[in-house]
Amino acid sequence: MQENHDAPLAPLTTFRLGGPAARLVTAVTDDEVIAAVREADASGTPLLIIGGGSNLVISDKGFEGTALRIATEGFRLDGTSLELAAGENWSDAVARTVEAGLAGIECLAGIPGSAGATPIQNVGAYGQDVSATLTEVVAYDRRSGEVVTLTNAECGFSYRHSRFKQEPDRHVVLRVRFELEDAGGLSAPIKYPETARALGVEAGDRVPAAVARATVLRLRSGKGMVLDPEDHDTWSAGSFFTNPVLTAAEHEAFLARVTERLGPDVMPPAFPAGDGMVKTSAAWLIDRAGFTKGYGTGAARISTKHTLALTNRGDATTEELLALAREVRDGVHAAFGVTLVNEPVTVGVSL
């Protein structure tokens, strides 16, 4: 295990924000991960788990404890069964499954971060999410002190949520297993309307998996959602807010606010979310509340490519980013009565 003290954390995050960790440990095997976690728990030391750093907002003061960077490697494909070590680069793993002619996660191409983070957030995009193909998560249970294997059902998946997010200090993901589909090189059925339009097909159609992946990468790049060190629009955590899921009553009240503010002919996006719930678009809300692309005057601004991404233009601080996030959240609530919830995990700060 590699160990550093007073170690900068900003370079380990896609925001490139945050102060140093009192101690940074880099683990390259599952045993090293477990040993570092056990050591921290035994001594009562605060512990911060870092994978790809694509979903973290760290305080400018840093982290007074042990930051554990999981850098394990492992990609094993047995027929249509895939196992990834937690530290594997997610986007690279997607590319390898497509090269193998398998379907199921091709529309999750270009999402930054590590494989171990995907079940925590139930990562999803363009009509796919990991819960649709994930079969098991191997994790270290800090409560029992044992390595456990959790089935898909035991992970408690819902929209951008899971058991791991519900109990953030209990499990440390070690390995993630998926069951993909051999469709003769074709993708899974295309579900997302924007993807279908870009491909020139109907929802439910299949296309070559490599074409689906390339199309998603093109769509993501156009929104600044594929990492590029030279492009400050990608110095972000991707979507900063989750899409709101409203009850029927909340949705009715929201529509009344939309009519009052924008007129009777304006209809916001609406998608069924089960149990009478309705999901609407956070990006739509932000834009219609007056926070357009490029909004801001400081070093933290809304992306010039996508209103849902808050970005570091090069020398921002975490406090500047959070000030912008609060302004957007409060502005949307004032305009439409809907409260946006941040998607990234905050460390030492809160929205």
Side-chain angles (χ1 to χ4, degrees), residues 180-236:
L180 304 178
E181 179 187 6
D182 185 351
L186 296 179
S187 69
I190 300 298
K191 296 181 179 179
Y192 199 67
E194 183 183 9
T195 315
R197 288 194 299 270
L199 288 164
V201 301
E202 298 294 325
D205 288 348
R206 295 177 184 260
V207 299
V211 173
R213 173 179 174 272
T215 299
V216 165
L217 286 174
R218 177 169 56 81
L219 291 171
R220 291 184 65 88
S221 293
K223 299 173 183 178
M225 298 291 185
V226 176
L227 294 182
D228 178 353
E230 303 302 317
D231 182 0
H232 284 283
D233 279 328
T234 74
W235 289 33
S236 75

Side-chain angles (χ1 to χ4, degrees), residues 6 37-38 40 47 68 135 145 197 205 225 257 292 303 334 342:
D6 195 28
V37 175
R38 283 177 172 164
L47 182 67
L68 170 59
T135 55
R197 288 194 299 270
D205 288 348
M225 298 291 185
R257 295 287 287 269
T292 54
S303 166
N342 54 291

Side-chain angles (χ1 to χ4, degrees), residues 90 108 111 117-125 128-131 160:
W90 173 255
L108 302 179
I111 294 177
T118 60
I120 297 172
Q121 191 76 3
N122 188 16
V123 164
Q128 291 181 347
D129 57 55
V130 296
S131 64
R160 302 297 173 269

Side-chain angles (χ1 to χ4, degrees), residues 9-297:
L9 293 180
L12 301 182
T13 74
T14 53
F15 261 127
R16 295 169 170 81
L17 295 176
R23 177 173 176 253
L24 172 65
V25 173
T26 299
V28 297
T29 68
D30 290 353
D31 286 344
E32 288 183 353
V33 171
I34 294 168
V37 175
R38 283 177 172 164
E39 179 189 11
D41 288 348
S43 62
T45 303
L47 182 67
L48 171 63
I49 306 295
I50 300 179
S54 61
N55 206 41
L56 284 179
V57 178
I58 299 174
S59 163
D60 290 316
K61 295 180 180 179
F63 184 71
E64 285 295 329
T66 295
L68 170 59
R69 178 172 172 260
I70 297 180
T72 54
E73 296 181 354
F75 178 102
R76 185 171 67 84
L77 194 58
D78 182 8
T80 55
S81 298
L82 172 67
E83 180 182 276
L84 298 174
E88 277 289 323
N89 179 283
W90 173 255
S91 189
D92 290 348
V94 171
R96 292 176 69 177
T97 65
V98 171
E99 290 170 1
L102 299 178
I105 56 175
E106 63 279 357
C107 290
L108 302 179
I111 294 177
S114 61
T118 60
I120 297 172
Q121 191 76 3
N122 188 16
V123 164
Y126 295 97
Q128 291 181 347
D129 57 55
V130 296
S131 64
T133 51
L134 184 146
T135 55
E136 293 179 333
V137 173
V138 180
Y140 174 69
D141 186 340
R142 297 169 69 181
R143 184 178 301 173
S144 68
E146 302 291 336
V147 174
V148 296
T149 300
L150 303 173
T151 65
N152 182 296
E154 291 172 324
C155 292
F157 290 122
S158 60
Y159 172 66
R160 302 297 173 269
H161 199 69
S162 70
R163 175 180 183 175
F164 309 107
K165 196 171 180 180
Q166 184 72 27
E167 302 176 290
D169 297 322
R170 179 169 180 181
H171 295 100
V172 178
V173 177
L174 301 173
R175 306 208 157 246
V176 189
R177 294 170 180 156
F178 300 86
E179 185 61 34
L180 304 178
E181 179 187 6
D182 185 351
L186 296 179
S187 69
I190 300 298
K191 296 181 179 179
Y192 199 67
E194 183 183 9
T195 315
R197 288 194 299 270
L199 288 164
V201 301
E202 298 294 325
D205 288 348
R206 295 177 184 260
V207 299
V211 173
R213 173 179 174 272
T215 299
V216 165
L217 286 174
R218 177 169 56 81
L219 291 171
R220 291 184 65 88
S221 293
K223 299 173 183 178
M225 298 291 185
V226 176
L227 294 182
D228 178 353
E230 303 302 317
D231 182 0
H232 284 283
D233 279 328
T234 74
W235 289 33
S236 75
S239 300
F240 194 87
F241 297 102
T242 58
N243 288 323
V245 178
L246 309 175
T247 65
E250 289 170 340
H251 187 242
E252 185 176 346
F254 166 54
L255 292 178
R257 295 287 287 269
V258 171
T259 298
E260 177 185 342
R261 181 181 177 89
L262 303 175
D265 298 329
V266 176
M267 288 300 295
F271 310 94
D275 297 326
M277 308 288 279
V278 179
K279 181 168 66 175
T280 191
S281 166
W284 188 94
L285 287 165
I286 292 167
D287 183 70
R288 297 311 191 280
F291 302 101
T292 54
K293 295 174 184 176
Y295 178 88
T297 58

